Amino acid sequence: MTDEPRAPEAGTPDPGAGRDQRLASLLEVPALDEATRRRLVRTAAERAASPAVSTSRSMGRLGAAVGVAAALLVGAVVGAVVVTRPSDPETPSAARASSTEPTTAAAEAAAPAPQSADDEVSAQDPSGAPPQELGDLGAVRGIGELRAAISAGFEQGAAAEQATADSLPCRQQQAGLLGFVVVSAIGEAQLDGLPVVVLVGPSPTGEDLVVALDPARGCEIVRRVTL
Amino acid sequence: LADGRTELSDEQLAAVAAGGDGRAMELLLARHADRVHAVCRRIVTHPEDALDATQEALIAIARGVGRFDGRSRFTTWIYRVATNAALDELRRRKRRPVPGISKDAASDGGSSRQAGERAADPTEQVDARLDVDAALREIPDEFRAAVVLRDLADLDYAEIAEALDIPLGTVKSRVARGRAALRAALGNPEAVTGRPNGQP
């Protein structure tokens, strides 16, 4: 761009140096409302204080969901071992069931409560816990709304599988290529009018990430931000 | 506040916050949140994206306060961070569809946005008659940033040069031409001395 200076010479009064009061009044922006200001400040302070620690309410739920998913995986493996040893007199089936029963709302969100130990074993993929399904997060504008929708998705619990054929390739992206240690939750949304697949999970540095992928453009990354 | 933190200057509060005092950090951020938001709002010209930029700026301020060296006014540093966050947000937005600003909407100043959306943002209520956002969108980002820092943030040329990391003469040029383009876009033909639509 050619914006070479056309400023007055040194020592010459610059008629444009003062503030343009008319523009100043036109550009004025009303103060933030107290709740918004507090939220912005609190989030910034928390992120700065503990960048590697989950700070939002949704991340608390995410952490719980990931923890429970890991616990369920361990439980499933243990359960499978127990089921293959049905004659073990030291381990009653009721005890086996209770040992792997989810105990938090997040756990209920992550997977339906098993009716029996056998049911639970068959419901779990022994190769790894599947990401939590957040479902359709709806139409959101900006990252703030997306974060809120993800939070609501965790809150609402397990949704039915929402995958569309178009979104499947994005859902199957390798976590590592997107900067995740593991993808712990998946949903879909309309981000600023663009249909996206939303992946949530921890990064190697411990931050919780949100990555929005555009299924119509080869799963191109649309946004990649901390949760 | 009884502990006296509120009596501290920005620079003093920054030093305390940098030492790990969380309450000082919150006070410092709260003290400047509105001005950070105002700069982001006018540079980004979109309310939701401006809030995103504001959040990113406040995080950057909180994380970087320890690197503030005191050679400039604290507010100048704040504006520098806010401007960078806003320009980053604009760059991100250019890589994706602009919410509520379709080509049609942009050409009519965004008036095709739903009334409910407009009413939700107090800045847009104020701007409804003149559509300041639409006028701001007509001028190049770097000119807009210069005008916003001069006339909204009231930084002098030297501070703007520091905030934008550009020469003083370039600041003067950008402010002058940005103002002219903005006045023209706002419908003040007498002030049209810059390029149409602020294009190079």
Side-chain angles (χ1 to χ4, degrees), chain A residues 105-112 130-138 149-150 152-163 171 185-188:
Chain A
E108 289 163 11
Q132 179 179 348
E133 180 59 56
L134 297 174
D136 183 0
L137 300 172
I150 291 170
F154 280 114
E155 218 159 59
Q156 287 163 9
E161 176 64 46
Q162 298 289 323
R171 288 170 167 267
I186 296 182
E188 294 181 23

Side-chain angles (χ1 to χ4, degrees), chain B:
Chain B
L1 188 73
D3 64 14
R5 290 187 186 91
T6 52
E7 307 301 319
L8 297 177
S9 68
D10 287 340
E11 289 74 12
Q12 291 168 327
L13 200 54
V16 175
D21 185 326
R23 178 65 186 144
M25 178 68 80
E26 289 196 7
L27 272 175
L28 188 65
L29 296 177
R31 189 181 282 182
H32 294 283
D34 282 342
R35 69 181 80 218
V36 167
H37 173 251
V39 165
C40 291
R41 178 68 181 79
R42 286 314 188 190
I43 293 178
V44 173
T45 73
H46 184 277
E48 294 299 329
D49 289 347
L51 281 177
D52 286 347
T54 302
Q55 183 69 84
E56 295 304 319
L58 291 176
I59 291 171
I61 290 165
R63 286 181 174 165
V65 72
R67 295 193 294 276
F68 172 67
D69 57 17
R71 283 186 297 180
S72 59
R73 279 197 301 159
F74 187 74
T75 47
T76 305
W77 182 71
I78 289 276
Y79 282 130
R80 178 184 186 131
V81 175
T83 303
N84 285 336
L87 293 174
D88 283 349
E89 182 62 34
L90 283 176
R91 281 189 280 272
R92 280 195 293 271
R93 197 171 72 179
K94 283 173 182 169
R95 295 197 293 266
R96 59 185 164 84
V98 180
I101 310 173
S102 64
K103 283 183 180 176
D104 290 344
S107 65
D108 69 5
S111 59
S112 65
R113 271 180 274 175
Q114 294 178 0
E117 293 175 32
R118 182 175 284 282
D121 178 56
T123 309
E124 287 192 301
Q125 292 172 22
V126 172
D127 294 352
R129 286 157 301 175
L130 279 169
D131 214 336
V132 177
D133 282 338
L136 284 167
R137 283 183 208 118
E138 300 240 339
I139 66 178
D141 297 348
E142 62 270 27
F143 287 15
R144 183 159 70 245
V147 172
V148 166
L149 290 177
R150 180 68 199 95
D151 290 326
L152 174 66
D154 200 19
L155 297 190
D156 63 30
Y157 288 153
E159 289 173 318
I160 297 171
E162 185 184 337
L164 297 179
D165 200 18
I166 55 177
L168 191 63
T170 305
V171 171
K172 294 179 181 179
S173 172
R174 288 186 184 181
V175 170
R177 295 159 83 176
R179 278 174 173 170
L182 181 56
R183 288 172 187 141
L186 287 167
N188 183 2
E190 71 187 32
V192 180
T193 56
R195 297 163 303 202
N197 292 331
Q199 296 305 308

Side-chain angles (χ1 to χ4, degrees), chain A residues 28-86:
Chain A
E28 242 172 41
V29 175
L32 291 162
D33 64 85
E34 188 55 39
T36 302
R37 185 188 301 111
R38 193 178 306 127
R39 175 174 57 80
L40 291 168
V41 166
R42 183 67 48 90
T43 300
E46 288 178 351
R47 293 265 172 89
S50 54
V53 176
S54 300
T55 54
S56 68
R57 290 170 57 233
S58 61
M59 285 320 301
R61 286 189 290 276
L62 174 62
V66 170
V68 169
L72 286 174
L73 174 61
V74 171
V77 172
V78 171
V81 171
V82 170
V83 166
T84 57
R85 298 171 57 202

Side-chain angles (χ1 to χ4, degrees), chain A residues 54-202:
Chain A
S54 300
T55 54
S56 68
R57 290 170 57 233
S58 61
M59 285 320 301
R61 286 189 290 276
L62 174 62
V66 170
V68 169
L72 286 174
L73 174 61
V74 171
V77 172
V78 171
V81 171
V82 170
V83 166
T84 57
R85 298 171 57 202
S87 60
D88 184 352
E90 301 299 319
T91 314
S93 60
R96 291 199 303 270
S98 64
S99 69
T100 55
E101 191 171 328
T103 56
T104 67
E108 289 163 11
Q115 299 303 308
S116 70
D118 288 350
D119 285 347
E120 182 186 1
V121 169
S122 63
Q124 295 296 319
D125 176 5
S127 65
Q132 179 179 348
E133 180 59 56
L134 297 174
D136 183 0
L137 300 172
V140 295
R141 294 180 60 182
I143 289 303
E145 283 193 16
L146 179 60
R147 287 179 175 126
I150 291 170
S151 176
F154 280 114
E155 218 159 59
Q156 287 163 9
E161 176 64 46
Q162 298 289 323
T164 59
D166 288 347
S167 73
L168 282 176
C170 300
R171 288 170 167 267
Q172 293 163 355
Q173 291 280 302
Q174 286 188 26
L177 296 178
L178 299 173
F180 292 115
V181 174
V182 63
V183 174
S184 48
I186 296 182
E188 294 181 23
Q190 289 261 338
L191 176 58
D192 301 328
L194 184 71
V196 295
V197 174
V198 179
L199 309 179
V200 184

